[in-house]
Amino acid sequence: DDGVASSDLRPADEVVSEQSAAEADAGGIGADVLLDDGVLVMISTMRVAGDDSGPWLEVSARTENRGDGELSNPEMSIVCAGSAEDGGWQADSTFELYAPLPPGTFAEGTVNLLLPGDGRFGESRPECASPAVVRVAASAAISVGDGPNPVDFPIADDLVAQLNGWTAA
């Protein structure tokens, strides 16, 4: 006898899910995070890129639907400290937000996230204050308004500084 009664044991998937949720609150790059709607999300890299109209945060993402139901890619946006406004995204991203994610499939690519207040017209925009995050939420949150809990992936302070100091080459 190893001293552990079988009634003290819990299902492994339950514990892993709880650990993922705890890690997600602090948002780890490379960590798999399960959203409330059942979409598994991984953000592998973040880097600053841009053009004459301003910068964006290029985020490499992968989503998986390991369930039986039809789901969608989540929404993603930059949220800066002290701001209630989320940033937008560029439609020419290779990872398409809100795209259908049928059962047993995955989607991966990069999504170019814009700073809050950036209308892509080259105009000045408010600075992004740290700590800033990439907020990921199940796309059901859009239509319901009070949907699943979002997950925040921290943006490194040096990346926030690069976004704020962007000048076109």
Side-chain angles (χ1 to χ4, degrees), residues 10-69:
R10 295 179 49 207
D13 60 345
E14 201 175 277
V15 173
V16 169
S17 178
E18 288 171 4
Q19 289 170 339
S20 292
E23 289 171 9
D25 289 340
I29 296 290
D32 291 340
V33 176
L34 188 63
L35 296 179
D36 289 350
D37 69 349
V39 173
L40 186 71
V41 178
M42 186 175 95
I43 292 180
S44 56
T45 62
M46 293 182 195
R47 72 177 196 91
V48 175
D51 59 20
D52 290 343
S53 296
W56 58 75
L57 186 66
E58 185 180 280
V59 177
S60 296
R62 177 182 172 104
T63 54
E64 298 177 0
N65 179 354
R66 297 185 180 190
D68 297 328

Short mmCIF file of all heavy atoms in Angstrom, two decimals, residues 10-69:
data_model
loop_
_atom_site.label_atom_id
_atom_site.label_comp_id
_atom_site.label_asym_id
_atom_site.label_seq_id
_atom_site.Cartn_x
_atom_site.Cartn_y
_atom_site.Cartn_z
N ARG A 10 -7.91 12.11 -8.19
CA ARG A 10 -8.79 12.88 -9.08
C ARG A 10 -8.41 12.58 -10.52
O ARG A 10 -7.27 12.22 -10.80
CB ARG A 10 -8.60 14.37 -8.82
CG ARG A 10 -9.03 14.79 -7.43
CD ARG A 10 -8.82 16.27 -7.16
NE ARG A 10 -9.34 17.10 -8.22
CZ ARG A 10 -8.86 18.31 -8.49
NH1 ARG A 10 -7.87 18.82 -7.81
NH2 ARG A 10 -9.38 19.03 -9.47
N PRO A 11 -9.34 12.78 -11.44
CA PRO A 11 -9.02 12.57 -12.85
C PRO A 11 -7.90 13.52 -13.31
O PRO A 11 -7.92 14.71 -13.00
CB PRO A 11 -10.32 12.89 -13.58
CG PRO A 11 -11.39 12.77 -12.55
CD PRO A 11 -10.74 13.13 -11.24
N ALA A 12 -6.93 12.98 -14.04
CA ALA A 12 -5.78 13.77 -14.48
C ALA A 12 -6.21 14.95 -15.36
O ALA A 12 -5.68 16.05 -15.22
CB ALA A 12 -4.80 12.88 -15.23
N ASP A 13 -7.17 14.72 -16.27
CA ASP A 13 -7.57 15.81 -17.17
C ASP A 13 -8.18 16.99 -16.41
O ASP A 13 -8.03 18.14 -16.81
CB ASP A 13 -8.50 15.32 -18.28
CG ASP A 13 -9.79 14.71 -17.77
OD1 ASP A 13 -9.88 14.39 -16.57
OD2 ASP A 13 -10.71 14.53 -18.59
N GLU A 14 -8.85 16.71 -15.30
CA GLU A 14 -9.42 17.76 -14.47
C GLU A 14 -8.31 18.61 -13.86
O GLU A 14 -8.37 19.84 -13.85
CB GLU A 14 -10.24 17.10 -13.36
CG GLU A 14 -11.29 17.96 -12.71
CD GLU A 14 -12.09 17.12 -11.72
OE1 GLU A 14 -13.03 16.43 -12.16
OE2 GLU A 14 -11.76 17.17 -10.52
N VAL A 15 -7.28 17.96 -13.32
CA VAL A 15 -6.17 18.67 -12.69
C VAL A 15 -5.39 19.47 -13.73
O VAL A 15 -5.04 20.62 -13.51
CB VAL A 15 -5.24 17.69 -11.93
CG1 VAL A 15 -4.00 18.39 -11.42
CG2 VAL A 15 -6.01 17.03 -10.80
N VAL A 16 -5.12 18.86 -14.90
CA VAL A 16 -4.40 19.55 -15.97
C VAL A 16 -5.18 20.78 -16.41
O VAL A 16 -4.62 21.85 -16.63
CB VAL A 16 -4.13 18.60 -17.15
CG1 VAL A 16 -3.62 19.36 -18.36
CG2 VAL A 16 -3.13 17.53 -16.73
N SER A 17 -6.49 20.66 -16.54
CA SER A 17 -7.33 21.79 -16.93
C SER A 17 -7.24 22.93 -15.92
O SER A 17 -7.13 24.10 -16.27
CB SER A 17 -8.78 21.35 -17.10
OG SER A 17 -9.58 22.43 -17.44
N GLU A 18 -7.27 22.58 -14.64
CA GLU A 18 -7.14 23.60 -13.58
C GLU A 18 -5.78 24.27 -13.63
O GLU A 18 -5.67 25.48 -13.47
CB GLU A 18 -7.37 22.97 -12.21
CG GLU A 18 -8.81 22.59 -11.95
CD GLU A 18 -8.99 21.77 -10.67
OE1 GLU A 18 -8.00 21.55 -9.94
OE2 GLU A 18 -10.12 21.35 -10.42
N GLN A 19 -4.73 23.48 -13.87
CA GLN A 19 -3.38 24.05 -13.95
C GLN A 19 -3.28 24.97 -15.16
O GLN A 19 -2.69 26.05 -15.06
CB GLN A 19 -2.34 22.93 -14.06
CG GLN A 19 -2.16 22.16 -12.77
CD GLN A 19 -1.29 20.92 -12.96
OE1 GLN A 19 -1.14 20.41 -14.07
NE2 GLN A 19 -0.75 20.42 -11.87
N SER A 20 -3.86 24.57 -16.29
CA SER A 20 -3.83 25.41 -17.48
C SER A 20 -4.55 26.72 -17.23
O SER A 20 -4.10 27.78 -17.65
CB SER A 20 -4.48 24.69 -18.67
OG SER A 20 -3.70 23.61 -19.07
N ALA A 21 -5.67 26.66 -16.53
CA ALA A 21 -6.41 27.89 -16.22
C ALA A 21 -5.59 28.81 -15.33
O ALA A 21 -5.56 30.02 -15.52
CB ALA A 21 -7.74 27.54 -15.56
N ALA A 22 -4.88 28.24 -14.36
CA ALA A 22 -4.05 29.04 -13.46
C ALA A 22 -2.89 29.67 -14.24
O ALA A 22 -2.58 30.85 -14.07
CB ALA A 22 -3.53 28.20 -12.31
N GLU A 23 -2.26 28.90 -15.13
CA GLU A 23 -1.18 29.43 -15.96
C GLU A 23 -1.70 30.49 -16.91
O GLU A 23 -1.03 31.48 -17.18
CB GLU A 23 -0.53 28.31 -16.78
CG GLU A 23 0.29 27.35 -15.97
CD GLU A 23 0.73 26.14 -16.79
OE1 GLU A 23 0.54 26.15 -18.03
OE2 GLU A 23 1.26 25.21 -16.19
N ALA A 24 -2.91 30.31 -17.39
CA ALA A 24 -3.49 31.24 -18.34
C ALA A 24 -3.70 32.61 -17.73
O ALA A 24 -3.55 33.62 -18.41
CB ALA A 24 -4.81 30.71 -18.86
N ASP A 25 -4.03 32.67 -16.46
CA ASP A 25 -4.21 33.96 -15.81
C ASP A 25 -2.93 34.78 -15.91
O ASP A 25 -2.96 36.00 -16.01
CB ASP A 25 -4.62 33.79 -14.35
CG ASP A 25 -6.05 33.26 -14.22
OD1 ASP A 25 -6.82 33.40 -15.19
OD2 ASP A 25 -6.38 32.72 -13.17
N ALA A 26 -1.79 34.10 -15.87
CA ALA A 26 -0.50 34.76 -16.01
C ALA A 26 -0.03 34.68 -17.46
O ALA A 26 0.96 35.28 -17.81
CB ALA A 26 0.51 34.12 -15.08
N GLY A 27 -0.73 33.93 -18.27
CA GLY A 27 -0.48 33.78 -19.70
C GLY A 27 0.94 33.44 -20.07
O GLY A 27 1.75 34.31 -20.18
N GLY A 28 1.23 32.20 -20.29
CA GLY A 28 2.59 31.82 -20.65
C GLY A 28 2.72 31.61 -22.14
O GLY A 28 1.92 30.91 -22.74
N ILE A 29 3.75 32.21 -22.75
CA ILE A 29 4.04 31.95 -24.15
C ILE A 29 4.39 30.48 -24.27
O ILE A 29 5.19 29.96 -23.50
CB ILE A 29 5.20 32.83 -24.64
CG1 ILE A 29 4.83 34.30 -24.58
CG2 ILE A 29 5.63 32.44 -26.04
CD1 ILE A 29 3.81 34.74 -25.58
N GLY A 30 3.79 29.81 -25.22
CA GLY A 30 4.05 28.40 -25.42
C GLY A 30 3.18 27.47 -24.62
O GLY A 30 3.14 26.28 -24.87
N ALA A 31 2.44 28.00 -23.64
CA ALA A 31 1.55 27.15 -22.85
C ALA A 31 0.25 26.93 -23.60
O ALA A 31 -0.26 27.83 -24.26
CB ALA A 31 1.27 27.80 -21.50
N ASP A 32 -0.27 25.72 -23.53
CA ASP A 32 -1.59 25.43 -24.09
C ASP A 32 -2.63 25.87 -23.08
O ASP A 32 -2.54 25.51 -21.90
CB ASP A 32 -1.76 23.93 -24.34
CG ASP A 32 -0.87 23.43 -25.47
OD1 ASP A 32 -0.42 24.25 -26.28
OD2 ASP A 32 -0.64 22.22 -25.53
N VAL A 33 -3.61 26.64 -23.52
CA VAL A 33 -4.66 27.14 -22.63
C VAL A 33 -6.00 26.75 -23.22
O VAL A 33 -6.27 26.99 -24.40
CB VAL A 33 -4.56 28.67 -22.48
CG1 VAL A 33 -5.69 29.20 -21.64
CG2 VAL A 33 -3.22 29.05 -21.88
N LEU A 34 -6.84 26.16 -22.41
CA LEU A 34 -8.17 25.75 -22.85
C LEU A 34 -9.17 26.84 -22.50
O LEU A 34 -9.35 27.17 -21.33
CB LEU A 34 -8.55 24.43 -22.17
CG LEU A 34 -9.83 23.76 -22.67
CD1 LEU A 34 -9.69 23.38 -24.14
CD2 LEU A 34 -10.12 22.53 -21.83
N LEU A 35 -9.80 27.41 -23.54
CA LEU A 35 -10.84 28.42 -23.31
C LEU A 35 -12.11 27.74 -22.85
O LEU A 35 -12.30 26.54 -23.05
CB LEU A 35 -11.11 29.21 -24.59
CG LEU A 35 -9.94 30.05 -25.12
CD1 LEU A 35 -10.37 30.76 -26.41
CD2 LEU A 35 -9.47 31.06 -24.09
N ASP A 36 -13.02 28.53 -22.27
CA ASP A 36 -14.27 27.99 -21.74
C ASP A 36 -15.11 27.26 -22.78
O ASP A 36 -15.88 26.38 -22.45
CB ASP A 36 -15.12 29.11 -21.12
CG ASP A 36 -14.53 29.63 -19.82
OD1 ASP A 36 -13.58 29.02 -19.31
OD2 ASP A 36 -15.02 30.67 -19.33
N ASP A 37 -14.98 27.64 -24.07
CA ASP A 37 -15.80 27.00 -25.09
C ASP A 37 -15.19 25.70 -25.62
O ASP A 37 -15.76 25.05 -26.48
CB ASP A 37 -16.09 27.96 -26.24
CG ASP A 37 -14.86 28.29 -27.07
OD1 ASP A 37 -13.73 27.96 -26.64
OD2 ASP A 37 -15.02 28.90 -28.14
N GLY A 38 -13.99 25.33 -25.13
CA GLY A 38 -13.36 24.09 -25.55
C GLY A 38 -12.28 24.24 -26.60
O GLY A 38 -11.73 23.26 -27.08
N VAL A 39 -11.95 25.47 -26.99
CA VAL A 39 -10.87 25.71 -27.96
C VAL A 39 -9.55 25.75 -27.19
O VAL A 39 -9.40 26.49 -26.24
CB VAL A 39 -11.08 27.03 -28.73
CG1 VAL A 39 -9.87 27.36 -29.60
CG2 VAL A 39 -12.33 26.97 -29.58
N LEU A 40 -8.59 24.93 -27.64
CA LEU A 40 -7.25 24.94 -27.06
C LEU A 40 -6.43 25.97 -27.83
O LEU A 40 -6.41 25.95 -29.06
CB LEU A 40 -6.62 23.55 -27.19
CG LEU A 40 -5.28 23.35 -26.51
CD1 LEU A 40 -5.47 23.33 -24.99
CD2 LEU A 40 -4.64 22.06 -26.96
N VAL A 41 -5.78 26.89 -27.11
CA VAL A 41 -5.03 27.98 -27.73
C VAL A 41 -3.58 27.93 -27.28
O VAL A 41 -3.30 27.72 -26.10
CB VAL A 41 -5.62 29.36 -27.33
CG1 VAL A 41 -4.81 30.50 -27.94
CG2 VAL A 41 -7.07 29.47 -27.72
N MET A 42 -2.66 28.15 -28.24
CA MET A 42 -1.25 28.31 -27.90
C MET A 42 -0.71 29.50 -28.67
O MET A 42 -0.94 29.62 -29.87
CB MET A 42 -0.44 27.07 -28.26
CG MET A 42 1.00 27.18 -27.78
SD MET A 42 1.96 25.68 -28.06
CE MET A 42 2.72 26.10 -29.60
N ILE A 43 -0.04 30.40 -27.95
CA ILE A 43 0.67 31.50 -28.57
C ILE A 43 2.15 31.19 -28.42
O ILE A 43 2.65 31.05 -27.30
CB ILE A 43 0.31 32.85 -27.92
CG1 ILE A 43 -1.15 33.20 -28.25
CG2 ILE A 43 1.26 33.94 -28.39
CD1 ILE A 43 -1.63 34.50 -27.66
N SER A 44 2.84 31.04 -29.57
CA SER A 44 4.24 30.62 -29.50
C SER A 44 5.23 31.78 -29.55
O SER A 44 6.29 31.70 -28.94
CB SER A 44 4.54 29.60 -30.59
OG SER A 44 4.22 30.13 -31.86
N THR A 45 4.91 32.83 -30.29
CA THR A 45 5.82 33.98 -30.35
C THR A 45 5.04 35.28 -30.49
O THR A 45 3.90 35.30 -30.97
CB THR A 45 6.79 33.89 -31.56
OG1 THR A 45 6.03 33.89 -32.76
CG2 THR A 45 7.66 32.65 -31.49
N MET A 46 5.70 36.36 -30.08
CA MET A 46 5.21 37.72 -30.29
C MET A 46 6.40 38.55 -30.73
O MET A 46 7.47 38.43 -30.16
CB MET A 46 4.66 38.33 -29.00
CG MET A 46 3.43 37.71 -28.44
SD MET A 46 2.93 38.63 -26.93
CE MET A 46 1.78 37.46 -26.23
N ARG A 47 6.19 39.35 -31.79
CA ARG A 47 7.25 40.26 -32.22
C ARG A 47 6.61 41.50 -32.84
O ARG A 47 5.48 41.44 -33.32
CB ARG A 47 8.22 39.60 -33.18
CG ARG A 47 7.70 39.33 -34.55
CD ARG A 47 8.78 38.72 -35.48
NE ARG A 47 8.37 38.82 -36.86
CZ ARG A 47 8.66 39.82 -37.68
NH1 ARG A 47 9.36 40.84 -37.24
NH2 ARG A 47 8.23 39.84 -38.93
N VAL A 48 7.35 42.60 -32.81
CA VAL A 48 6.85 43.86 -33.37
C VAL A 48 7.21 43.94 -34.85
O VAL A 48 8.34 43.65 -35.24
CB VAL A 48 7.42 45.06 -32.59
CG1 VAL A 48 7.01 46.37 -33.24
CG2 VAL A 48 6.95 45.01 -31.14
N ALA A 49 6.25 44.32 -35.66
CA ALA A 49 6.45 44.58 -37.09
C ALA A 49 5.58 45.80 -37.43
O ALA A 49 4.89 46.33 -36.55
CB ALA A 49 6.05 43.36 -37.92
N GLY A 50 5.59 46.23 -38.67
CA GLY A 50 4.77 47.37 -39.03
C GLY A 50 5.06 47.88 -40.42
O GLY A 50 5.83 47.28 -41.17
N ASP A 51 4.42 49.00 -40.74
CA ASP A 51 4.61 49.63 -42.04
C ASP A 51 4.49 51.14 -41.87
O ASP A 51 4.54 51.64 -40.74
CB ASP A 51 3.60 49.09 -43.06
CG ASP A 51 2.15 49.30 -42.66
OD1 ASP A 51 1.87 50.18 -41.80
OD2 ASP A 51 1.27 48.60 -43.20
N ASP A 52 4.29 51.87 -42.96
CA ASP A 52 4.23 53.34 -42.89
C ASP A 52 3.07 53.85 -42.05
O ASP A 52 3.10 54.97 -41.56
CB ASP A 52 4.11 53.94 -44.30
CG ASP A 52 5.40 53.78 -45.09
OD1 ASP A 52 6.45 53.51 -44.48
OD2 ASP A 52 5.35 53.91 -46.33
N SER A 53 2.02 53.03 -41.89
CA SER A 53 0.86 53.46 -41.12
C SER A 53 0.99 53.16 -39.62
O SER A 53 0.13 53.52 -38.84
CB SER A 53 -0.41 52.80 -41.65
OG SER A 53 -0.66 53.24 -42.97
N GLY A 54 2.05 52.45 -39.25
CA GLY A 54 2.27 52.20 -37.83
C GLY A 54 2.62 50.75 -37.53
O GLY A 54 2.71 49.91 -38.43
N PRO A 55 2.81 50.45 -36.24
CA PRO A 55 3.24 49.13 -35.83
C PRO A 55 2.08 48.17 -35.58
O PRO A 55 0.93 48.59 -35.49
CB PRO A 55 3.97 49.40 -34.51
CG PRO A 55 3.15 50.51 -33.91
CD PRO A 55 2.75 51.37 -35.09
N TRP A 56 2.43 46.91 -35.49
CA TRP A 56 1.50 45.90 -35.00
C TRP A 56 2.31 44.85 -34.26
O TRP A 56 3.52 44.79 -34.39
CB TRP A 56 0.67 45.28 -36.12
CG TRP A 56 1.45 44.62 -37.22
CD1 TRP A 56 2.10 43.41 -37.19
CD2 TRP A 56 1.66 45.13 -38.53
NE1 TRP A 56 2.71 43.14 -38.38
CE2 TRP A 56 2.45 44.18 -39.24
CE3 TRP A 56 1.27 46.28 -39.19
CZ2 TRP A 56 2.85 44.36 -40.55
CZ3 TRP A 56 1.67 46.45 -40.50
CH2 TRP A 56 2.43 45.50 -41.17
N LEU A 57 1.62 44.06 -33.48
CA LEU A 57 2.24 42.95 -32.77
C LEU A 57 1.90 41.69 -33.55
O LEU A 57 0.73 41.33 -33.68
CB LEU A 57 1.71 42.85 -31.33
CG LEU A 57 2.40 41.81 -30.45
CD1 LEU A 57 3.86 42.20 -30.20
CD2 LEU A 57 1.66 41.67 -29.13
N GLU A 58 2.92 41.04 -34.11
CA GLU A 58 2.73 39.82 -34.87
C GLU A 58 2.74 38.65 -33.89
O GLU A 58 3.76 38.38 -33.25
CB GLU A 58 3.85 39.68 -35.90
CG GLU A 58 3.68 38.51 -36.84
CD GLU A 58 4.82 38.43 -37.82
OE1 GLU A 58 4.80 39.19 -38.82
OE2 GLU A 58 5.74 37.63 -37.57
N VAL A 59 1.61 37.98 -33.77
CA VAL A 59 1.43 36.91 -32.80
C VAL A 59 1.24 35.59 -33.54
O VAL A 59 0.34 35.46 -34.36
CB VAL A 59 0.20 37.19 -31.91
CG1 VAL A 59 -0.06 36.04 -30.94
CG2 VAL A 59 0.38 38.51 -31.15
N SER A 60 2.12 34.62 -33.26
CA SER A 60 1.98 33.27 -33.85
C SER A 60 1.05 32.47 -32.95
O SER A 60 1.31 32.31 -31.76
CB SER A 60 3.33 32.58 -33.94
OG SER A 60 4.18 33.27 -34.82
N ALA A 61 -0.04 31.99 -33.54
CA ALA A 61 -1.07 31.31 -32.75
C ALA A 61 -1.47 29.99 -33.39
O ALA A 61 -1.36 29.81 -34.61
CB ALA A 61 -2.30 32.21 -32.62
N ARG A 62 -1.92 29.09 -32.54
CA ARG A 62 -2.48 27.81 -32.99
C ARG A 62 -3.71 27.54 -32.12
O ARG A 62 -3.68 27.73 -30.91
CB ARG A 62 -1.48 26.68 -32.82
CG ARG A 62 -2.05 25.30 -33.20
CD ARG A 62 -1.03 24.20 -32.99
NE ARG A 62 -1.61 22.88 -33.15
CZ ARG A 62 -1.44 22.11 -34.22
NH1 ARG A 62 -0.70 22.52 -35.24
NH2 ARG A 62 -2.00 20.91 -34.28
N THR A 63 -4.79 27.10 -32.76
CA THR A 63 -5.98 26.69 -32.03
C THR A 63 -6.33 25.27 -32.44
O THR A 63 -6.06 24.86 -33.57
CB THR A 63 -7.18 27.62 -32.31
OG1 THR A 63 -7.39 27.70 -33.72
CG2 THR A 63 -6.93 29.02 -31.74
N GLU A 64 -6.95 24.55 -31.52
CA GLU A 64 -7.38 23.18 -31.79
C GLU A 64 -8.77 22.97 -31.24
O GLU A 64 -9.09 23.45 -30.15
CB GLU A 64 -6.42 22.18 -31.12
CG GLU A 64 -5.01 22.25 -31.62
CD GLU A 64 -4.06 21.30 -30.89
OE1 GLU A 64 -4.51 20.55 -29.99
OE2 GLU A 64 -2.87 21.30 -31.24
N ASN A 65 -9.59 22.25 -32.00
CA ASN A 65 -10.90 21.84 -31.54
C ASN A 65 -10.85 20.32 -31.41
O ASN A 65 -10.95 19.60 -32.40
CB ASN A 65 -12.00 22.25 -32.52
CG ASN A 65 -13.38 21.80 -32.08
OD1 ASN A 65 -13.53 21.08 -31.09
ND2 ASN A 65 -14.39 22.23 -32.81
N ARG A 66 -10.67 19.86 -30.19
CA ARG A 66 -10.60 18.42 -29.94
C ARG A 66 -11.95 17.85 -29.53
O ARG A 66 -12.05 16.69 -29.16
CB ARG A 66 -9.55 18.14 -28.86
CG ARG A 66 -8.17 18.55 -29.30
CD ARG A 66 -7.14 18.17 -28.29
NE ARG A 66 -5.82 18.58 -28.74
CZ ARG A 66 -4.71 18.22 -28.15
NH1 ARG A 66 -4.75 17.46 -27.08
NH2 ARG A 66 -3.55 18.63 -28.61
N GLY A 67 -12.98 18.69 -29.58
CA GLY A 67 -14.32 18.26 -29.18
C GLY A 67 -15.14 17.76 -30.34
O GLY A 67 -14.64 17.53 -31.45
N ASP A 68 -16.44 17.62 -30.08
CA ASP A 68 -17.37 17.09 -31.07
C ASP A 68 -18.19 18.17 -31.77
O ASP A 68 -18.86 17.91 -32.76
CB ASP A 68 -18.34 16.10 -30.41
CG ASP A 68 -17.62 14.89 -29.84
OD1 ASP A 68 -16.59 14.49 -30.41
OD2 ASP A 68 -18.09 14.36 -28.81
N GLY A 69 -18.18 19.39 -31.21
CA GLY A 69 -19.03 20.45 -31.75
C GLY A 69 -18.26 21.45 -32.59
O GLY A 69 -17.04 21.56 -32.51
#
